[in-house]
Amino acid sequence: KPRGLVHRFAAIILLGLVRFSIRLILRVRVRGKIPKKAPCVIAPRHLSVLDPLVMLTALDLKKLESLYWAGWTGLLFTNPLSRWFSRAARILPIDPGAAPRASMALAAAALKRGDGLIWFPEGQRSRDGKLQEFKPGIGMVLKAQPVPVVPVDIRGTRDSMPPGQLLPRPGRVDLIIGEPINPEDFPDDEMEISGFIRSKVAALGEK
């Protein structure tokens, strides 16, 4: 359902606060651009809780209005306040344990409606800083609703705020946005799609 005025106004305020805070602490350099045309899936690597916040610096308000974020229910939908925040921030509830198929269907429905989706395919932060294997979820979504995928490499967020640290340290972060992957190039199998996208993200890390 479309958000009401209260949720939209709250989202604009939160976006401004996050961007101000990130730019106060981190020097973010963005290479490449997110396509303006929707729908697409944006697939960043995951090193730190800062990653989604840093991604906001590469997205303008108009693009954010056409994007959903995939969010774990165990963190973002546990109480009325977190559910309210998730609604304002356009976060979809994803439960890979209890209801994986329903979660993937919800994400695919958002793409079918013409919205974009930000999906962290590793599923959780990397503990050692290395690119992890991609979970099959992104392959399931793209098998049901093939759309272009934008690979994104993120560097520096782990140095600023590694797992277990409560507050970020000042530093520099690089966002490297790759060329969109055409859905016509996807393999047939869901797991192979996930692995194919991982190879594209890994290639950005070598540049």
Side-chain angles (χ1 to χ4, degrees):
K1 294 170 60 177
R3 295 176 300 173
L5 288 177
V6 173
H7 279 111
R8 294 186 68 182
F9 180 73
I12 292 171
I13 298 298
L14 287 170
L15 175 62
L17 289 173
V18 167
R19 282 181 169 171
F20 175 77
S21 300
I22 288 295
R23 287 168 179 163
L24 196 64
I25 299 170
L26 301 173
R27 303 187 309 278
V28 181
R29 184 174 66 172
V30 180
R31 291 163 49 190
K33 290 185 178 180
I34 301 293
K36 293 185 177 181
K37 187 178 179 181
C40 69
V41 172
I42 301 170
R45 67 175 309 186
H46 203 4
L47 297 165
S48 166
V49 295
L50 291 176
D51 296 336
L53 307 181
V54 168
M55 282 296 303
L56 289 172
T57 64
L59 299 162
D60 58 30
L61 184 60
K62 184 176 180 180
K63 185 63 179 178
L64 286 169
E65 283 291 327
S66 65
L67 278 175
Y68 279 98
W69 301 70
W72 179 43
T73 54
L75 178 64
L76 293 167
F77 295 87
T78 55
N79 57 65
L81 180 60
S82 64
R83 287 193 292 271
W84 188 92
F85 166 80
S86 297
R87 171 72 169 152
R90 289 172 63 91
I91 298 173
L92 293 179
I94 303 298
D95 189 346
R101 288 286 173 180
S103 298
M104 305 312 142
L106 183 63
L111 294 172
K112 185 176 182 180
R113 196 173 67 173
D115 292 307
L117 182 66
I118 296 183
W119 188 286
F120 288 88
E122 293 167 275
Q124 60 185 358
R125 292 169 292 167
S126 173
R127 285 287 173 180
D128 58 6
K130 297 179 181 178
L131 185 65
Q132 305 171 94
E133 294 300 316
F134 282 10
K135 303 295 185 184
I138 192 169
M140 294 167 63
V141 172
L142 291 168
K143 182 73 173 179
Q145 196 64 39
V147 296
V149 178
V150 181
V152 180
D153 185 35
I154 301 178
R155 305 172 190 172
T157 51
R158 179 181 170 84
D159 295 331
S160 180
M161 195 171 178
Q165 184 167 307
L166 296 178
L167 295 173
R169 293 189 294 261
R172 197 183 91 175
V173 170
D174 289 285
L175 283 180
I176 298 91
I177 302 168
E179 293 295 323
I181 306 168
N182 193 315
E184 294 178 358
D185 297 330
F186 293 163
D188 293 330
D189 182 74
E190 295 169 354
M191 285 298 298
E192 290 180 353
I193 293 175
S194 298
F196 179 64
I197 296 169
R198 182 187 182 277
S199 70
K200 298 296 184 179
V201 175
L204 291 178
E206 299 170 359
K207 294 184 178 181

